[in-house]
Amino acid sequence: MQLRSVTTVTLLSISLLFILISNAHAHNITRLLADHPEFSTFNHYLSLTHLAGEINSHTTITVCAVDNAAMSDLLSTHPSIYTIKNILSLHVLLDYFGAKKLHQITNGTALAATMFQATGTAPGSAGFVNITDLKGGKVGFSPEDNNNQINTYFVKSVKEIPYNISVIQISKVLPSDVAAAPTPGPAETNITAVMSAHGCKVFADTLIADVDAEKTFESNAEGGLTVFCPGDDAFKAFLPKYKNLTAARKTALLEYHGVPVYQSLAMLKSNNGDMNTLATDGASKFDFTVQNDGMDVTLKTKVVTAKITGTLIDEQPIAIYTIDKVLLPKELFKAQAETPAPAPAPDVTADSPKPSTKKSKKAPSPSDEADTPSPADDAADQVADQNAAVRFDGARFGSLIVCVWWIVKTMLN
């Protein structure tokens, strides 16, 4: 009986642990704000500055949203997109502050670090925000470089996922001369030069030779681009197959190694799931799956699984990573055939069958299948938001609920 009780408790603990894991990183700031049109401008610029992805990759975080009127006041000064990012990153607190916590601050005041401070571009304590519990139920917010003047206040709680993410509304944009200072954009990055100098010269030279593909990469560099470049040994080995492709398929394969959005390594680790590429075009999905494998990040197609082996550059809006294999899309190459299970050994007591006089055909190996081009034949499916957090597996959750129900019933009996 004691053993049964211990087993039951163990199973229940494991089930609850899986449920907690299923809900980890379950927030998506753009979706949370989409239900509140009064924050549509704020939400738009979180996506445009790529802050949304960074917010989704964090837990224990608070977003101080401002309404469309407050954003209009900010935009009337015509700041650059890089300055807007600095200002909005000051509105992302690296701690959880729900409405209850705001009104129960120890000693009446708290100093919160922000995403602006975490970038390292804020000098001294300029990236911190003072939160003060004032008389009359008010809560004030003041950046450290605002001489402790409080003129921004808590308005309401918008959405709270306890101790994961809190979205609150504040009355106006937080005033900070440091965050609002003119910020120049990053120097133009020569993508192919970076790859050529760091072990991806064969891929870079091939990209330069394809005018259409190179133009696609360059046109996406300013708005956000992530490149996965195969190492020289991997791409050299693939060149014979590459040369047998048509011109259009060569372009598609090269573009398949680029993603039209900036993705830091932390974002890739938190945003597991399907990812569109520069080659994606309607019914031609040309996507792959990002998946963690221990500490590694893998890119899985239906044909091959590649691993990220290094980072060449990670400076927003561009990230370039090296991978150990060429990415082969199923739209150009047949998927690998599953290896059949070995046939059971024949019974030694049974009569041996007579040998066949016909020649048996050799089954194609996975490598042979992968070498054969095939036309695109998949209809377009809806692809999940690039900035979404890890997807929720409803079937697994349902199984866990049934398991917990069975355990509770057993205990009661």
Side-chain angles (χ1 to χ4, degrees):
M1 180 67 183
Q2 183 178 2
L3 178 60
R4 179 180 178 183
S5 299
V6 171
T7 303
T8 300
V9 172
T10 302
L11 288 173
L12 180 59
S13 300
I14 293 174
S15 299
L16 292 176
L17 177 61
F18 273 114
I19 292 174
L20 291 174
I21 293 173
S22 298
N23 286 288
H25 284 290
H27 65 265
N28 182 321
I29 186 60
T30 55
R31 291 180 181 173
L32 293 177
L33 290 175
D35 295 331
H36 304 273
E38 66 270 26
F39 304 118
S40 60
T41 305
F42 181 82
N43 196 14
H44 170 72
Y45 278 95
L46 286 183
S47 296
L48 195 62
T49 58
H50 305 296
L51 280 172
E54 296 180 38
I55 291 169
N56 292 340
S57 67
H58 284 72
T59 54
T60 316
I61 200 165
T62 301
V63 178
C64 302
V66 294
D67 62 19
N68 295 338
M71 283 298 296
S72 294
D73 292 339
L74 169 62
L75 298 174
S76 66
T77 61
H78 305 292
S80 71
I81 191 65
Y82 305 103
T83 297
I84 293 174
K85 180 177 182 179
N86 285 345
I87 294 172
L88 295 188
S89 63
L90 188 66
H91 291 68
V92 183
L93 312 180
L94 302 181
D95 198 355
Y96 180 86
F97 289 95
K100 182 178 179 180
K101 183 177 178 179
L102 287 173
H103 290 94
Q104 295 179 348
I105 295 176
T106 304
N107 299 324
T109 185
L111 186 64
T114 68
M115 197 167 279
F116 180 47
Q117 184 271 334
T119 63
T121 58
S125 59
F128 290 85
V129 172
N130 277 304
I131 306 173
T132 306
D133 189 6
L134 304 170
K135 291 181 179 181
K138 287 187 176 182
V139 178
F141 294 78
S142 176
E144 272 285 89
D145 63 326
N146 194 39
N147 298 320
N148 294 322
Q149 295 181 11
I150 300 177
N151 49 21
T152 303
Y153 302 94
F154 170 74
V155 176
K156 66 179 180 180
S157 174
V158 178
K159 178 68 177 180
E160 295 183 22
I161 303 177
Y163 313 111
N164 188 354
I165 183 171
S166 171
V167 183
I168 62 174
Q169 180 184 358
I170 57 177
S171 59
K172 59 191 297 186
V173 173
L174 293 171
S176 169
D177 291 338
V178 175
T183 306
E188 184 175 345
T189 302
N190 187 322
I191 301 171
T192 53
V194 171
M195 292 190 289
S196 294
H198 296 88
C200 294
K201 188 177 189 311
V202 180
F203 179 79
D205 289 346
T206 306
L207 180 60
I208 293 172
D210 191 311
V211 177
D212 291 336
E214 184 184 28
K215 187 179 297 183
T216 301
F217 276 79
E218 290 177 348
S219 64
N220 281 274
E222 184 175 351
L225 176 67
T226 302
V227 182
F228 302 99
C229 62
D232 283 339
D233 290 342
F235 207 80
K236 279 180 183 177
F238 175 72
L239 278 178
K241 298 178 185 177
Y242 176 79
K243 292 176 180 177
N244 287 331
L245 297 174
T246 64
R249 291 189 170 200
K250 287 178 180 178
T251 299
L253 182 127
L254 293 173
E255 292 176 349
Y256 189 60
H257 288 74
V259 174
V261 64
Y262 166 77
Q263 293 277 353
S264 67
L265 197 58
M267 293 164 68
L268 288 171
K269 288 182 177 180
S270 66
N271 292 346
N272 279 195
D274 294 341
M275 185 171 291
N276 284 346
T277 67
L278 296 175
T280 301
D281 181 19
S284 300
K285 291 177 64 177
F286 281 97
D287 60 355
F288 54 73
T289 302
V290 179
Q291 184 172 321
N292 293 339
D293 183 9
M295 296 300 293
D296 298 324
V297 177
T298 61
L299 313 177
K300 304 183 70 172
T301 76
K302 297 295 184 181
V303 184
V304 69
T305 298
K307 181 175 69 176
I308 294 179
T309 56
T311 302
L312 303 188
I313 184 173
D314 185 1
E315 297 177 3
Q316 196 169 14
I318 295 175
I320 304 177
Y321 305 101
T322 54
I323 54 177
D324 62 350
K325 296 178 183 178
V326 177
L327 297 175
L328 305 178
K330 68 180 186 299
E331 288 80 4
L332 302 182
F333 301 89
K334 288 184 178 179
Q336 289 185 350
E338 294 185 2
T339 304
D347 189 348
V348 294
T349 61
D351 293 335
S352 300
K354 295 181 180 180
S356 173
T357 58
K358 296 181 181 180
K359 290 185 179 181
S360 59
K361 294 183 180 180
K362 181 182 177 182
S365 65
S367 59
D368 293 334
E369 292 287 340
D371 292 346
T372 309
S374 65
D377 55 5
D378 291 338
D381 296 328
Q382 182 178 359
V383 179
D385 186 345
Q386 291 290 339
N387 292 327
V390 176
R391 287 151 181 75
F392 180 79
D393 191 337
R396 184 177 65 180
F397 181 73
S399 300
L400 291 174
I401 292 298
V402 172
C403 180
V404 172
W405 171 83
W406 178 83
I407 291 171
V408 173
K409 181 179 178 181
T410 302
M411 294 175 68
L412 292 176
N413 291 337

